[in-house]
Amino acid sequence: SLCGHQITMLHIDEKISHKLDGWLDNDPEGQALGIFAAKYLLWAFLGAAIIVYPWINKTNEGAVIYDLFLILSALAAHLITFLLSFVVRRKRPYETSPDTWHLPIRFYTSSFPSGLATIGVAVAMFLVWYWHPSLLIAVVLYAIAAIVAIARVIVGVHYVTDVIVGAVIGTGVGYLSLRLLEKLLLFHWV
């Protein structure tokens, strides 16, 4: 309690999220960029990752397994967040503060956790640990996931904690996908 006001973690989360959400209130170009980053960037990232590795790997050795595990990692991340959203049932920022600008779509799942932040981090982690790219490429891959997560807050469809928890879940899903792939490759099951 501070000066008679109880400050909770959720209150702080809402305040920070609404501040970020307000960045695009009167900026049509920023809104368009925010919509692209929040809605389409992840799918472009995932599509490129599915296409690029087989193209780089001229022998196509392991390309089908790679694509399969990358897609399974994204699907597992989506399934976990989808199920959690029905358990937690947290309202989205635009539902609690309808006067702020937000991504112009309605969602049928709750805000917590962020599915796209989860998928973005799971995919980035899988790519970095599977490809073993240069440090610069690794930073770019994680930056794309971070841009998607931050954009979800800026366009008013998630709170900061939604994307943080999504990133943690994505890290776990990416790690488990890689471990499963390693086990299957070790025992020559794929």
Side-chain angles (χ1 to χ4, degrees):
S1 185
L2 185 65
C3 297
H5 299 291
Q6 183 176 1
I7 298 190
T8 65
M9 196 63 178
L10 287 177
H11 179 73
I12 293 168
D13 184 29
E14 287 176 8
K15 286 261 190 220
I16 293 169
S17 298
H18 288 305
K19 286 255 187 240
L20 288 172
D21 173 325
W23 282 1
L24 300 179
D25 283 349
N26 298 311
D27 182 4
E29 292 85 14
Q31 289 174 358
L33 191 57
I35 289 170
F36 172 78
K39 226 174 136 182
Y40 304 111
L41 181 60
L42 175 67
W43 306 119
F45 175 43
L46 183 57
I50 290 169
I51 293 166
V52 168
Y53 181 73
W55 181 70
I56 291 173
N57 183 1
K58 301 292 185 208
T59 65
N60 280 336
E61 190 176 309
V64 172
I65 299 303
Y66 157 82
D67 280 351
L68 179 64
F69 270 83
L70 182 60
I71 292 167
L72 287 175
S73 183
L75 287 173
H78 174 68
L79 179 63
I80 291 166
T81 56
F82 180 77
L83 294 174
L84 276 173
S85 76
F86 284 104
V87 172
V88 177
R89 314 240 358 112
R90 183 178 192 186
K91 288 186 176 193
R92 292 183 179 271
Y94 68 81
E95 293 173 316
T96 61
S97 184
D99 56 328
T100 58
W101 180 85
H102 62 84
L103 192 64
I105 20 179
R106 297 308 260 171
F107 294 89
Y108 298 100
T109 57
S110 68
S111 184
F112 184 89
S114 170
L116 293 185
T118 304
I119 294 168
V121 171
V123 167
M125 183 170 187
F126 184 90
L127 294 175
V128 168
W129 289 96
Y130 188 85
W131 282 354
H132 303 289
S134 68
L135 178 61
L136 176 64
I137 299 296
V139 167
V140 167
L141 294 172
Y142 283 119
I144 291 170
I147 289 166
V148 169
I150 293 165
R152 303 294 292 172
V153 176
I154 289 173
V155 300
V157 295
H158 284 292
Y159 292 101
V160 173
T161 53
D162 299 343
V163 299
I164 290 171
V165 171
V168 170
I169 294 168
T171 301
V173 168
Y175 175 78
L176 291 174
S177 297
L178 288 162
R179 295 296 297 166
L180 179 60
L181 180 57
E182 285 173 357
K183 296 287 184 203
L184 293 175
L185 291 173
L186 180 68
F187 293 111
H188 304 287
W189 291 346
V190 293

